[in-house]
Amino acid sequence: MIRLVFGILVLFAIFRFPTIESRSHHPSAYSGIEFPALNCRKHKAVITDFGGVGDGKTSNTKAFRTALSKLSDLASDGGAQLLVPPGKWLTGSFNLTSHFTLFIQKGATILASQDESEWPVVPPLPSYGKGRDGTGTGRFNSLISGTNLTDVVITGNNGTINGQGQYWWDKFKKKQFNLTRPYMIELLFSQNIQISNITLVDSPSWHIHPVYCNNVIVKSITIIAPVDVPNTDGINPDSCTNTLIEDCYIVSGDDCIAVKSGWDQYGIKFGMPTQQLSIRRLTCISPKSAGVALGSEMSGGIKDVRIEDVTLINTESSVRIKTAAGRGAYVKDIYARRFTMKTMKYVFWMSGNYNQHPDEGYDPKALPEVSNINFSDMTAENVTMSASLAGIDKDPFTGICISNVNITLSAKPKEVQWNCTDVAGVTSRVKPEPCSLLPEKKTEGKNMDCMFPSDLIPIESVVLKKCSL
């Protein structure tokens, strides 16, 4: 099954984007290559200008860091663009700059170094309090990172970033780290961000992690990681406002998309929600996790999330809400529609007992609010269990609405199809018949439809410019 999936993925990656060949590293080789971006740049350079060697063996950490240092001086003069041409460019962690475009050309692969000395150690995120791997207080910096940036584009014409995660996965499994593993792309406290038209493979941990950011576009991204390796989340918007994720194809050993906003008392204190998030046209394969997860780190709050036109194949659940006593805050105003699902363990899954905590300092009386959760217009085939919905005692999940959902069961389904505790809501035209806590409802004798907003969030109206190499 895994080999079949990866065979499909290889074909998908080959044919997904237009083929543009480069004959050399001379600037004339890039003429005619155009791409959409938030902004175009006045100044342009190639990584070879800074001593880069694309043989897959030579470390280019110094080349990337030197390039970014020098190009940062051009931020106020029309910005700069750095091209990574065909080749294999081995590198450790490097930081981006503002008014900057990193373009990874087709045939180019940025290879993450497995030399830990090329990965600086940075403090934990303030909304987490410690590294998410639960070991120590520090963490390795991400492969591509940046803080307090404005107007950053990471794009290409289907170039690749390969995290070479096996080294990190093996060492983590053996409990040989006292630091949290690096992510592939992480931008902090930044605004006007675009990540698009590249393929990401085998991150040591999460692949894309915008955190404390505003105005983020993640578009036309392919993410491929083994389905049996945990923590290889695809895209994790974390305490972000006004984010668009669209036209992405993700295969992962964890959640394809995980929406977050901080962990227990640290997230409550930091108090920055994820809000105004639109996810559309997602294809996901994740046999051991969710298509879209809300939480479990949601202690700054999650609200106004719109998810539509999603295809899930061999995935554990569709939209999963994960929280627990101690998280506080809220998950509310969630809208999901037009899902097509094939081979699912669950269709609907909500967990109020996701009891992973950073330390003993969390407050068990900090109860989360889960309310106004809407699902509509969904079909699912080969399903083991329709729904497992577990709220919290004395803190029920309320305002659940499910309409026009048709679920067909697997050859060996669970005997109890809807397992519901501490939840309240309504349903309409749902098969198999839901639990008694979600009764059928009609409005004036007519079928009820769950809500989906008719307006757009601001980022959905942004028009990208046509830029060139």
Side-chain angles (χ1 to χ4, degrees), residues 96 142-145 154 161 183-187 195 198 200 203 206-210 221:
L96 302 183
S142 297
L143 177 64
I144 299 175
S145 63
I154 303 171
I161 304 175
Y183 305 141
M184 184 172 282
I185 300 172
E186 181 181 65
L187 299 175
I195 304 171
I198 54 177
L200 309 180
S203 176
W206 304 346
H207 285 80
I208 299 177
H209 185 221
I221 294 291

Side-chain angles (χ1 to χ4, degrees), residues 217-394:
I217 296 174
V218 181
K219 178 182 176 69
S220 300
I221 294 291
T222 297
I223 295 176
I224 303 171
V227 296
D228 57 351
V229 175
N231 309 125
T232 52
D233 302 33
I235 304 166
N236 291 5
D238 194 340
S239 294
C240 290
T241 295
N242 196 29
T243 301
L244 172 63
I245 301 172
E246 65 177 0
D247 300 314
C248 292
Y249 184 88
I250 303 173
V251 178
S252 175
D254 217 299
D255 302 316
C256 286
I257 295 177
V259 184
K260 302 177 181 292
S261 67
W263 199 8
D264 284 4
Q265 71 271 30
Y266 303 103
I268 293 171
K269 181 179 180 180
F270 197 76
M272 185 180 291
T274 287
Q275 58 190 346
Q276 292 184 318
L277 169 62
S278 176
I279 300 168
R280 59 194 187 194
R281 298 187 299 275
L282 165 70
T283 299
C284 165
I285 299 173
S286 181
K288 296 184 179 181
S289 213
V292 178
L294 304 173
S296 72
E297 308 91 328
M298 40 63 63
S299 298
I302 296 171
K303 66 179 179 180
D304 191 7
V305 178
R306 300 107 179 268
I307 312 165
E308 57 185 328
D309 300 314
V310 173
T311 299
L312 304 174
I313 304 167
N314 190 22
T315 295
E316 189 172 36
S317 64
S318 60
V319 177
R320 184 182 181 190
I321 295 176
K322 301 188 285 188
T323 187
R327 291 289 194 269
Y330 50 81
V331 176
K332 63 183 180 180
D333 305 336
I334 310 299
Y335 311 94
R337 68 177 178 182
R338 298 199 298 257
F339 279 48
T340 301
M341 297 168 270
K342 297 183 179 181
T343 307
M344 307 287 293
K345 182 177 180 179
Y346 306 102
V347 175
F348 305 111
W349 195 6
M350 302 182 188
S351 307
N353 61 346
Y354 206 86
N355 291 312
Q356 293 183 1
H357 303 285
D359 51 47
E360 296 301 318
Y362 75 96
D363 179 6
K365 296 180 181 179
L367 300 178
E369 172 196 346
V370 178
S371 64
N372 193 24
I373 313 297
N374 300 269
F375 303 101
S376 61
D377 304 332
M378 299 182 174
T379 61
E381 302 174 6
N382 195 26
V383 173
T384 302
M385 185 173 183
S386 298
S388 176
L389 308 176
I392 298 173
D393 183 33
K394 298 187 174 89

